[in-house]
Amino acid sequence: MKWSSVLLVSAMLLGGAAVQGEEKPDERVDRLTQRALLSDPHPVRGRRLFGEHCAQCHGAKGFGDAEQGVPALAGQRFAYLVRQLANFAGDERDSATMHGVVRQPAIRGPQSWADLAAFLSQSAAAPRPQVGPDRGSNLGRGIFHEQCASCHGADASGDAEGFVPSLRHQHYGYLVKQMNKLAAGYRHNVDESLMLFLRSFDDNDISATADYLSRLQGPGTDRSKLLNNGVAVD
Ligand code: HEC
Ligand code: HEC
């Protein structure tokens, strides 16, 4: 082999190694999410962590705080919760508040995300989330069933895999804010097509849909039939 070819081959190998070494932020989030999903979650440890690091904002029972713009977490899907904690940790979702939370040593690793998500996904959902001003309008119901239910489920409890969130038992103000933020691209790990799709709704559509969702009552899924990781048993 000529020297020039040796150099070429080494350059290719080195180049390949450099590309492999440079993990993109979204790939890192995917890898850490998968690691958390494959771990053995401990809901009891999750309950303790929640009491120490989260309850002051999200409430003792994870019902959130509508006035402060803090979302309800109780009853949310396991995989979705894990992924959002990974998103905050990897700067793939903006929130100065939550970035501060996941920088704490006890909340930094995938095992703690799995523990917290296991505890929260098994907890009873907020019974009376903040509702919107739009009682009686059918606009929100129509939009939801035509445009959103294919992903979020007809009862809005999210998809079976768990990465599409439940939109039940969530505060009206938070739902409005997140629809706007998803459309504005502040959640970087979200498909561009979903972002563009959400941009097609005006303020009135967003308010009506959030209002409809905030008024859904009763359990979407029988929580006694959930596995440790929040997945429903058939
Ligand atoms: C200082 C207040 C504060 C503390 C402490 C806090 N959070 Fe949050 N959390 C927030 C706020 C505010 C948001 C909304 C961020 C946004 O606008 O996207 C949020 C959002 C979230 C979300 C996204 C929910 C969704 O539906 O997408 C998750 C998950 C979450 N927090 C989990 C936790 C966990 C677990 C802890 C404890 C380890 C915790 N938070 C501690 C204030 C807090
Ligand atoms: C193509 C599938 C898809 C469609 C259609 C869709 N969504 Fe979503 N939605 C998602 C996914 C996936 C997420 C989670 C994004 C992430 O990981 O940050 C999400 C997140 C959300 C959130 C944030 C929830 C939270 O707890 O922070 C809201 C609110 C929401 N969607 C409302 C809607 C509404 C209202 C519609 C219909 C107008 C809709 N979505 C249509 C897939 C979809």
Side-chain angles (χ1 to χ4, degrees), residues 67-158:
E67 298 305 316
Q68 302 295 322
V70 182
L73 303 173
Q76 184 53 275
R77 293 208 169 249
F78 175 77
Y80 173 76
L81 289 168
V82 163
R83 186 167 170 79
Q84 295 312 307
L85 290 168
N87 277 336
F88 289 126
D91 281 346
E92 286 292 297
R93 175 170 170 180
D94 295 344
S95 164
T97 311
M98 281 306 298
H99 290 172
V101 170
V102 291
R103 266 199 299 271
Q104 298 172 84
I107 314 295
R108 218 177 262 164
Q111 180 69 51
S112 62
W113 306 337
D115 296 346
L116 282 158
F119 164 63
L120 288 165
S121 61
Q122 290 170 47
S123 301
R128 280 180 298 279
Q130 177 199 45
V131 294
D134 196 29
R135 183 184 284 280
S137 149
N138 279 324
L139 177 64
R141 176 194 301 272
I143 292 177
F144 181 78
H145 288 283
E146 279 163 33
Q147 315 270 9
C148 325
S150 57
C151 289
H152 286 278
D155 68 353
S157 66

Side-chain angles (χ1 to χ4, degrees), residues 47 50-51 54-65 74 119-120 123:
R47 177 197 300 270
F50 185 81
C54 326
Q56 71 264 37
C57 292
H58 288 279
K61 294 183 170 174
F63 293 172
D65 182 340
F119 164 63
L120 288 165
S123 301

Side-chain angles (χ1 to χ4, degrees), residues 190-209:
V190 167
D191 265 7
E192 204 180 340
S193 52
L194 179 60
M195 205 173 93
L196 294 173
F197 169 68
L198 287 169
R199 272 189 206 161
S200 66
F201 296 93
D202 65 22
D203 287 351
N204 193 35
D205 296 337
I206 289 179
S207 166
T209 313

